[in-house]
Amino acid sequence: MRYSLIPSQLHPERNNRKVRTLLRCSLVRGKPSASQVLIFLRTQVRFVEDVAAKPALRRPKAKKAERDFILNILSATTTKREAKSYISKFKVADRPSIRPITGEAIDSAHSTHQSGNLDRLGINLGSLYTSTRAAEETPRFSQHVSDDESFVPATDTLHVALVKIRVPQLLNDTILNGIGSTLSQLAKLGMTSVIVVDCDENLDKIALSPARLRSQSLEQADRIVSAINGHNGPRGRRVADAVGISKLHQAPHSSVQLHGHVQIQYPDLLSMTLQRGTLPVIPALAYTLDTQKATNVRANDILLALVRNFTGIAAETITSSSNESKISLEKVIILDPLGGTPSLDSSRGSHVFINLEQEFHDLSQELKGKLQHDRHTENLRLVRDALALLPPTSSALITTSEEAARSASVQSISGDALGVSTRLVKNPLIHNLLTDKPTFSSSLPAARMGIDASGPSKTNPRLGPTTFIKRGMPISIIPDPREHPWTPPTSSGTTLDLQSPQIAFPRLVHLIEDSFARPLNVRHYLSRIKDHIAGVIIAGEYEGGAILTWEAPSSSPSSGPTRSLVPYLDKFAVLQRSQGSGASVADIVFKAMVRDCFPAGVVWRSRKNNPVNKWYFERSLGTWKIPGTNWCMFWTTPGIFEREGDRRWEDYVDVCRNVKASWADDKAAD
């Protein structure tokens, strides 16, 4: 099938070979996925239009930008679900089918591009709408093989990210140029950035004069604009007079920051800039509403003022007319030299993912013992205040400018068990836009992320300094392990009952039955786990959960000092609509289990043909197919083979072999 667009630039066979070659270079085999081909073809159309608009553009530079862009896309290795989610979210409604483009069509396309609606051209993917094998086999928590999801109808929406760049005066031109390239690529992918410049007046021990601070802020805004304009993409523009200071100097008491003395006094100025496809760059300046005097303000206050306006909370909001795109604020990105929120585990560097509803208070306490804890805490609070005003689907990233400037490249990793290996380094901003997930799953053990417990070194680099944050969902752990640690009970057993007032038992049963797609024999199940329940974990409004028990091996006496009890994951359930989602419900529950409830280790079983076994395998320290059964055993307990006379292995196998299933149907046991 031929799908020629512009004969002089997009020869069908050559273009297809180009995509496949790039896929092979990035270690992805098979046919290109829908998102990769769509993005590649869109890039080609934009490239031809920009060449027509800018005859003086040097082709070598444009080709390098094109290559870096495509490599960044391929390095994300999105799954089929993620590719569909991205395309359905960022495509324009009522897109016409593609026809071979003539010279008149090029002029028409250029006109469309100037009005900010290039995507209306569309792309006919034909038989190329298939996912890559490597991306499709990425493990995700999904207990059932489901049919392809249908597309969500798209709307003509302008997707916006707020990007705060801290201390750009410390960045050299190479790093700043890389950031400009990334912001340009994000715009090509459908995410327009509004950049806030933070020169951080508290950086120098010697305070700068207000005039010098204003001059520095304007200079750095111009540097960022130049970095954006140096690439084949949307233009940047300094917008220094849209922010004002009201007479309200103190916000009322509230759990979220709804008001502030800094506000957007000319919202239409930002709206028109965005509608034209231009990236606004806002210095940390504001003008008094009465005298219009320029004043230095905190960049954080400007960012929150932008959030209030984009969400319609402020009195004067950024609106759009009927013939303009709707503006949707979806991401907050902070580029800080300190990087993401530091983890207590020094080998990991930064937290991979933070569920604010569950972890904010504990992290605030942990940060008190860290270097630069004030700055890390301020970044975390800024994200919390911003996401509190945005929909639950919104997210935030905290990373370094160096990471944001990163272009996809192949990195050699020495010290690997098989010698020297390679991996494609990902740009965290582009990866997150395409997947709505962190670069690594937060519930993976350190060894699965390419690091070990010995800490970072030349051959064992720590994780990238990027933290992905969502408002997330609250986690209920019953009993609270901080007050009542989960320890083996006495001979009388445990006292926790699933029908206690702390647990909505009917909702818990619905969660289990929906996750496993089969009815639970409630009476048999309650009878089996009576006096054995170690605890229960509930995520959000019963979107996910786990039931953990203490199980006695058949060889263990019923009482006495030699009694041995095994920590056992009896049920791990996630609602089907939340399985494999960007909310990472399964990751949240699993991390709570291994970090807070059973840090010394836990064991569980799954049928051998369960689709979720790949996900389990990546998060366990070992797995064993129990002979003569349909069970595969997993465990997170370290060193179960190291001590002589240690019977934990035999006990684990015994428990996983003999626990009775409690289903009400006649299917094989899960």
Side-chain angles (χ1 to χ4, degrees), residues 264-334:
I264 307 301
Q265 65 174 337
Y266 298 118
D268 289 342
L269 181 59
L270 280 176
S271 177
M272 288 187 295
T273 302
L274 291 170
Q275 296 292 348
R276 291 170 180 166
T278 303
L279 309 187
V281 180
I282 305 175
L285 300 175
Y287 292 83
T288 56
L289 299 183
D290 49 358
T291 63
Q292 289 297 301
K293 179 183 178 181
T295 306
N296 299 307
V297 295
R298 298 175 69 248
N300 289 2
D301 292 337
I302 293 180
L303 190 142
L304 290 175
L306 288 167
V307 173
R308 292 192 296 270
N309 275 272
F310 281 122
T311 54
I313 294 176
E316 295 293 335
T317 60
I318 297 177
T319 59
S320 55
S321 61
S322 58
N323 61 340
E324 292 180 339
S325 299
K326 174 185 175 183
I327 297 176
S328 172
L329 177 58
E330 298 172 2
K331 289 187 182 296
V332 175
I333 301 171
I334 299 176

Coordinates of all heavy atoms in Angstrom, one line a residue, residues 264-334:
I264 N -2.9 37.0 37.5 CA -2.7 37.3 36.1 C -3.6 38.4 35.8 O -4.8 38.2 35.7 CB -3.0 36.0 35.2 CG1 -2.2 34.8 35.7 CG2 -2.7 36.3 33.8 CD1 -0.7 35.1 35.7
Q265 N -3.1 39.6 35.5 CA -3.9 40.8 35.3 C -4.3 40.9 33.8 O -5.3 41.6 33.5 CB -3.2 42.1 35.8 CG -1.9 42.4 35.0 CD -1.4 43.8 35.5 OE1 -2.1 44.6 36.0 NE2 -0.1 44.0 35.2
Y266 N -3.6 40.3 32.9 CA -3.9 40.3 31.5 C -4.0 38.9 31.0 O -3.1 38.5 30.2 CB -2.9 41.2 30.7 CG -2.9 42.6 31.1 CD1 -1.7 43.2 31.7 CD2 -4.0 43.4 31.1 CE1 -1.6 44.5 32.1 CE2 -3.9 44.8 31.5 CZ -2.8 45.3 32.0 OH -2.7 46.6 32.4
P267 N -5.0 38.2 31.3 CA -5.1 36.8 30.9 C -5.2 36.6 29.4 O -4.7 35.6 28.8 CB -6.4 36.2 31.6 CG -7.2 37.4 31.9 CD -6.2 38.5 32.2
D268 N -5.8 37.6 28.7 CA -6.0 37.5 27.2 C -4.6 37.5 26.5 O -4.5 37.0 25.4 CB -6.9 38.6 26.7 CG -8.3 38.4 27.1 OD1 -8.7 37.3 27.4 OD2 -9.1 39.4 27.0
L269 N -3.6 38.2 27.1 CA -2.3 38.3 26.5 C -1.7 36.9 26.5 O -1.1 36.5 25.5 CB -1.4 39.2 27.4 CG 0.0 39.4 26.9 CD1 0.0 40.0 25.5 CD2 0.8 40.3 27.8
L270 N -1.9 36.1 27.5 CA -1.4 34.7 27.5 C -2.2 33.9 26.6 O -1.6 33.0 25.9 CB -1.4 34.1 28.9 CG -0.2 34.5 29.9 CD1 -0.5 33.9 31.3 CD2 1.1 34.1 29.3
S271 N -3.5 34.0 26.6 CA -4.4 33.2 25.8 C -4.0 33.4 24.3 O -3.9 32.4 23.6 CB -5.8 33.6 26.0 OG -6.7 32.9 25.2
M272 N -3.9 34.6 23.9 CA -3.6 34.9 22.5 C -2.2 34.3 22.1 O -2.0 33.8 21.0 CB -3.6 36.4 22.2 CG -5.0 37.0 22.2 SD -5.1 38.7 21.6 CE -4.1 39.5 22.9
T273 N -1.2 34.4 23.0 CA 0.1 33.8 22.7 C 0.0 32.3 22.6 O 0.6 31.8 21.6 CB 1.1 34.2 23.9 OG1 1.1 35.6 24.1 CG2 2.4 33.7 23.6
L274 N -0.7 31.7 23.4 CA -0.9 30.2 23.3 C -1.6 29.8 22.1 O -1.3 28.8 21.4 CB -1.6 29.7 24.6 CG -0.8 29.8 25.9 CD1 -1.7 29.4 27.1 CD2 0.4 28.8 25.8
Q275 N -2.7 30.5 21.7 CA -3.5 30.2 20.6 C -2.7 30.3 19.3 O -3.0 29.6 18.3 CB -4.8 31.0 20.5 CG -5.7 30.9 21.7 CD -6.4 29.5 21.7 OE1 -6.3 28.8 20.7 NE2 -7.1 29.2 22.8
R276 N -1.7 31.1 19.3 CA -0.9 31.3 18.1 C 0.2 30.2 18.0 O 1.1 30.3 17.1 CB -0.2 32.7 18.1 CG -1.2 33.8 17.9 CD -0.6 35.2 18.1 NE -1.5 36.2 17.9 CZ -1.3 37.5 18.3 NH1 -0.2 37.8 19.0 NH2 -2.2 38.4 18.1
G277 N 0.3 29.3 19.0 CA 1.3 28.3 19.0 C 2.6 28.7 19.5 O 3.6 28.1 19.2
T278 N 2.7 29.9 20.2 CA 3.9 30.4 20.8 C 4.0 30.0 22.2 O 3.0 30.0 23.0 CB 3.9 31.9 20.6 OG1 3.8 32.3 19.2 CG2 5.2 32.5 21.1
L279 N 5.3 29.8 22.7 CA 5.5 29.4 24.1 C 5.8 30.6 24.9 O 6.9 31.3 24.7 CB 6.7 28.4 24.2 CG 6.6 27.2 23.2 CD1 7.8 26.2 23.6 CD2 5.3 26.5 23.3
P280 N 5.0 31.0 25.8 CA 5.2 32.2 26.7 C 6.4 31.9 27.7 O 6.4 30.8 28.3 CB 3.9 32.4 27.4 CG 2.9 31.6 26.7 CD 3.7 30.4 26.1
V281 N 7.3 32.8 27.8 CA 8.3 32.7 28.8 C 8.2 33.9 29.8 O 8.3 35.1 29.4 CB 9.7 32.8 28.2 CG1 10.8 32.7 29.3 CG2 9.9 31.7 27.2
I282 N 7.8 33.6 31.1 CA 7.4 34.6 32.0 C 8.5 34.8 33.1 O 8.8 33.9 33.8 CB 6.1 34.3 32.7 CG1 5.0 34.0 31.6 CG2 5.6 35.3 33.6 CD1 3.7 33.5 32.2
P283 N 9.1 36.0 33.1 CA 10.1 36.3 34.2 C 9.4 36.5 35.5 O 8.2 36.7 35.6 CB 10.8 37.6 33.7 CG 9.8 38.2 32.8 CD 9.0 37.1 32.2
A284 N 10.1 36.4 36.6 CA 9.6 36.6 38.0 C 9.3 38.1 38.3 O 9.9 38.6 39.2 CB 10.4 35.9 39.0
L285 N 8.5 38.7 37.5 CA 8.2 40.1 37.7 C 6.6 40.3 37.7 O 5.9 39.5 37.1 CB 8.8 41.0 36.6 CG 10.3 41.0 36.4 CD1 10.7 41.8 35.2 CD2 11.0 41.5 37.6
A286 N 6.2 41.3 38.4 CA 4.8 41.6 38.4 C 4.6 43.1 38.6 O 5.6 43.8 39.0 CB 4.1 40.9 39.6
Y287 N 3.5 43.6 38.2 CA 3.2 45.1 38.2 C 2.1 45.4 39.2 O 1.0 44.7 39.2 CB 2.9 45.6 36.9 CG 4.0 45.5 35.9 CD1 4.4 44.4 35.2 CD2 4.9 46.7 35.7 CE1 5.5 44.3 34.4 CE2 6.0 46.6 34.8 CZ 6.2 45.4 34.2 OH 7.3 45.4 33.3
T288 N 2.3 46.4 40.1 CA 1.2 46.8 41.0 C 0.0 47.2 40.2 O 0.1 47.9 39.2 CB 1.7 47.9 41.9 OG1 2.2 49.0 41.1 CG2 2.8 47.4 42.8
L289 N -1.2 46.9 40.7 CA -2.4 47.2 39.9 C -2.7 48.7 39.9 O -3.4 49.2 39.0 CB -3.6 46.4 40.5 CG -3.4 44.8 40.4 CD1 -4.7 44.2 40.9 CD2 -3.1 44.4 39.0
D290 N -2.3 49.4 41.0 CA -2.6 50.8 41.1 C -1.6 51.7 40.4 O -2.0 52.6 39.6 CB -2.8 51.2 42.5 CG -1.6 50.8 43.4 OD1 -0.7 50.1 42.8 OD2 -1.6 51.1 44.6
T291 N -0.3 51.4 40.5 CA 0.7 52.3 40.0 C 1.5 51.7 38.8 O 2.3 52.4 38.2 CB 1.7 52.7 41.1 OG1 2.4 51.6 41.6 CG2 1.0 53.4 42.2
Q292 N 1.2 50.4 38.5 CA 2.0 49.7 37.5 C 3.5 49.8 37.7 O 4.2 49.9 36.7 CB 1.6 50.2 36.1 CG 0.1 49.9 35.7 CD -0.1 48.4 35.6 OE1 0.6 47.7 34.8 NE2 -1.0 47.8 36.3
K293 N 3.9 49.6 38.9 CA 5.3 49.6 39.2 C 5.9 48.2 39.1 O 5.3 47.3 39.7 CB 5.6 50.2 40.6 CG 7.1 50.2 41.0 CD 7.2 50.7 42.4 CE 8.7 50.7 42.8 NZ 8.9 51.2 44.2
A294 N 7.0 48.0 38.4 CA 7.6 46.6 38.3 C 8.1 46.2 39.7 O 8.9 47.0 40.3 CB 8.6 46.6 37.2
T295 N 7.8 45.0 40.0 CA 8.2 44.4 41.4 C 8.7 43.0 41.2 O 8.1 42.2 40.4 CB 7.0 44.5 42.4 OG1 6.5 45.8 42.4 CG2 7.5 44.1 43.7
N296 N 9.7 42.6 41.9 CA 10.2 41.2 41.9 C 9.2 40.4 42.8 O 8.9 40.8 43.9 CB 11.6 41.2 42.5 CG 12.6 41.9 41.7 OD1 12.7 41.7 40.5 ND2 13.4 42.8 42.3
V297 N 8.8 39.3 42.3 CA 8.0 38.3 43.0 C 8.5 36.9 42.9 O 9.4 36.7 42.1 CB 6.5 38.4 42.5 CG1 5.9 39.7 42.7 CG2 6.5 38.0 41.0
R298 N 8.0 36.1 43.8 CA 8.5 34.7 43.8 C 7.9 33.9 42.6 O 6.7 34.1 42.2 CB 8.1 34.0 45.1 CG 8.7 34.6 46.3 CD 8.2 33.9 47.6 NE 8.6 32.6 47.7 CZ 7.9 31.5 47.6 NH1 6.6 31.6 47.3 NH2 8.4 30.3 47.7
A299 N 8.8 33.1 41.9 CA 8.3 32.4 40.8 C 7.2 31.4 41.1 O 6.3 31.1 40.3 CB 9.5 31.6 40.1
N300 N 7.3 30.9 42.4 CA 6.3 29.9 42.8 C 4.9 30.6 42.9 O 3.9 30.0 42.5 CB 6.6 29.4 44.2 CG 7.8 28.4 44.2 OD1 8.4 28.2 43.1 ND2 8.2 27.9 45.3
D301 N 4.9 31.9 43.3 CA 3.6 32.6 43.3 C 3.0 32.8 41.9 O 1.8 32.7 41.7 CB 3.8 33.9 44.0 CG 4.1 33.8 45.5 OD1 3.7 32.7 46.0 OD2 4.6 34.7 46.1
I302 N 3.9 33.0 40.9 CA 3.4 33.2 39.5 C 2.9 31.9 39.0 O 1.9 31.8 38.4 CB 4.6 33.7 38.7 CG1 5.0 35.1 39.0 CG2 4.2 33.6 37.2 CD1 6.1 35.7 38.2
L303 N 3.6 30.8 39.3 CA 3.1 29.4 38.9 C 1.7 29.1 39.4 O 0.9 28.7 38.7 CB 4.1 28.4 39.3 CG 3.9 27.0 38.6 CD1 5.2 26.3 38.3 CD2 3.1 26.1 39.6
L304 N 1.5 29.4 40.7 CA 0.2 29.1 41.3 C -0.8 30.1 40.8 O -2.0 29.7 40.6 CB 0.3 29.2 42.9 CG 1.1 28.1 43.5 CD1 1.2 28.4 45.0 CD2 0.5 26.8 43.3
A305 N -0.5 31.3 40.5 CA -1.4 32.2 39.8 C -1.8 31.7 38.5 O -3.0 31.8 38.1 CB -0.8 33.6 39.7
L306 N -0.9 31.2 37.7 CA -1.2 30.6 36.4 C -2.2 29.4 36.6 O -3.1 29.2 35.8 CB 0.0 30.1 35.7 CG 0.9 31.3 35.2 CD1 2.3 30.7 34.8 CD2 0.3 32.0 34.0
V307 N -1.9 28.6 37.6 CA -2.8 27.4 37.9 C -4.2 27.9 38.1 O -5.2 27.4 37.6 CB -2.3 26.6 39.0 CG1 -3.3 25.5 39.4 CG2 -0.9 25.9 38.7
R308 N -4.3 28.9 39.0 CA -5.7 29.4 39.3 C -6.4 30.0 38.1 O -7.6 29.8 37.9 CB -5.6 30.5 40.4 CG -5.1 30.0 41.8 CD -5.3 31.1 42.8 NE -4.5 32.3 42.6 CZ -3.2 32.4 43.0 NH1 -2.7 31.5 43.8 NH2 -2.6 33.6 42.8
N309 N -5.7 30.6 37.2 CA -6.3 31.2 36.0 C -6.7 30.1 35.0 O -7.8 30.1 34.4 CB -5.4 32.2 35.4 CG -5.5 33.6 36.0 OD1 -6.3 34.4 35.6 ND2 -4.7 33.8 37.0
F310 N -5.8 29.2 34.8 CA -6.1 28.1 33.8 C -7.3 27.2 34.3 O -8.0 26.7 33.4 CB -4.9 27.2 33.5 CG -3.9 27.9 32.6 CD1 -2.6 28.1 33.0 CD2 -4.2 28.2 31.3 CE1 -1.6 28.7 32.2 CE2 -3.3 28.8 30.5 CZ -2.0 29.1 30.9
T311 N -7.4 27.1 35.6 CA -8.5 26.2 36.1 C -9.8 27.0 36.3 O -10.8 26.4 36.7 CB -8.0 25.6 37.4 OG1 -7.6 26.6 38.3 CG2 -6.9 24.6 37.2
G312 N -9.8 28.3 36.1 CA -11.0 29.1 36.2 C -11.3 29.5 37.6 O -12.4 29.9 37.9
I313 N -10.4 29.4 38.6 CA -10.6 29.7 40.0 C -10.5 31.2 40.2 O -11.3 31.8 41.0 CB -9.7 28.9 40.9 CG1 -9.9 27.4 40.8 CG2 -9.8 29.4 42.3 CD1 -9.0 26.6 41.6
A314 N -9.6 31.9 39.5 CA -9.4 33.3 39.7 C -10.6 34.1 39.1 O -11.3 33.6 38.3 CB -8.1 33.7 39.1
A315 N -10.7 35.3 39.6 CA -11.8 36.2 39.1 C -11.7 36.4 37.6 O -12.6 36.4 36.9 CB -11.8 37.5 39.9
E316 N -10.4 36.7 37.2 CA -10.1 36.9 35.8 C -9.4 35.7 35.3 O -8.3 35.5 35.7 CB -9.3 38.2 35.6 CG -10.0 39.5 36.0 CD -11.1 39.8 35.1 OE1 -11.1 39.4 33.9 OE2 -12.1 40.5 35.5
T317 N -10.0 34.9 34.5 CA -9.5 33.7 34.0 C -9.1 33.7 32.6 O -9.6 34.5 31.8 CB -10.4 32.5 34.3 OG1 -11.6 32.8 33.5 CG2 -10.8 32.4 35.7
I318 N -8.2 32.8 32.2 CA -7.8 32.7 30.8 C -8.9 31.9 30.1 O -9.1 30.7 30.3 CB -6.4 32.0 30.6 CG1 -5.4 32.9 31.3 CG2 -6.1 31.8 29.2 CD1 -4.0 32.3 31.3
T319 N -9.6 32.5 29.2 CA -10.7 31.9 28.5 C -10.4 31.9 27.0 O -9.5 32.5 26.5 CB -12.1 32.6 28.8 OG1 -12.0 33.9 28.4 CG2 -12.4 32.5 30.3
S320 N -11.2 31.2 26.3 CA -11.1 31.1 24.9 C -12.4 31.3 24.2 O -13.5 30.9 24.7 CB -10.5 29.8 24.4 OG -11.2 28.7 24.9
S321 N -12.4 32.0 23.1 CA -13.7 32.2 22.3 C -14.1 30.9 21.6 O -13.4 29.9 21.6 CB -13.5 33.4 21.3 OG -12.5 33.0 20.4
S322 N -15.3 31.0 21.0 CA -15.8 29.8 20.4 C -15.0 29.2 19.3 O -15.0 28.1 19.0 CB -17.2 30.1 19.9 OG -17.2 31.2 18.9
N323 N -14.2 30.1 18.6 CA -13.4 29.6 17.5 C -11.9 29.3 17.9 O -11.1 29.2 17.1 CB -13.4 30.7 16.4 CG -12.8 32.0 16.8 OD1 -12.8 32.3 18.0 ND2 -12.4 32.8 15.9
E324 N -11.7 29.3 19.2 CA -10.3 29.0 19.7 C -10.4 27.7 20.5 O -11.4 27.2 20.9 CB -9.8 30.1 20.7 CG -9.6 31.5 19.9 CD -9.1 32.5 20.9 OE1 -9.3 32.4 22.1 OE2 -8.5 33.5 20.5
S325 N -9.2 27.1 20.6 CA -9.1 25.8 21.3 C -9.3 26.0 22.8 O -8.9 27.1 23.4 CB -7.7 25.2 21.0 OG -7.5 25.0 19.7
K326 N -9.9 25.1 23.4 CA -10.0 25.1 24.9 C -8.6 24.8 25.5 O -7.9 23.9 25.0 CB -11.0 24.0 25.3 CG -11.1 23.8 26.8 CD -12.0 22.7 27.1 CE -12.0 22.4 28.7 NZ -12.8 21.2 29.0
I327 N -8.3 25.5 26.5 CA -7.0 25.4 27.2 C -7.1 24.4 28.4 O -7.9 24.6 29.3 CB -6.4 26.7 27.6 CG1 -6.1 27.6 26.4 CG2 -5.1 26.5 28.4 CD1 -5.7 29.0 26.7
S328 N -6.3 23.4 28.4 CA -6.3 22.4 29.5 C -5.0 22.3 30.1 O -4.0 21.8 29.5 CB -6.8 21.0 28.9 OG -6.7 20.0 29.9
L329 N -4.8 22.7 31.4 CA -3.6 22.6 32.1 C -3.5 21.1 32.7 O -4.3 20.7 33.4 CB -3.5 23.6 33.2 CG -2.3 23.5 34.1 CD1 -1.0 23.7 33.3 CD2 -2.4 24.6 35.2
E330 N -2.4 20.4 32.3 CA -2.3 19.0 32.7 C -1.0 18.6 33.4 O -1.0 17.6 34.0 CB -2.5 18.2 31.4 CG -3.8 18.4 30.7 CD -3.9 17.7 29.4 OE1 -2.9 17.1 29.0 OE2 -5.0 17.9 28.7
K331 N 0.0 19.4 33.3 CA 1.3 19.0 33.9 C 2.0 20.2 34.5 O 1.9 21.3 34.0 CB 2.2 18.3 32.9 CG 1.8 17.0 32.5 CD 2.8 16.3 31.6 CE 2.3 14.9 31.2 NZ 2.1 14.0 32.3
V332 N 2.7 19.9 35.6 CA 3.6 20.9 36.2 C 5.0 20.3 36.3 O 5.1 19.2 36.8 CB 3.1 21.2 37.7 CG1 4.1 22.2 38.4 CG2 1.7 21.9 37.7
I333 N 5.9 21.0 35.7 CA 7.3 20.5 35.6 C 8.2 21.5 36.3 O 8.2 22.7 36.0 CB 7.7 20.3 34.1 CG1 6.7 19.3 33.4 CG2 9.1 19.8 34.0 CD1 6.9 19.2 31.9
I334 N 9.1 21.0 37.2 CA 10.0 21.8 37.9 C 11.4 21.3 37.5 O 11.8 20.2 37.8 CB 9.8 21.8 39.4 CG1 8.4 22.3 39.8 CG2 10.9 22.6 40.2 CD1 8.1 22.2 41.2

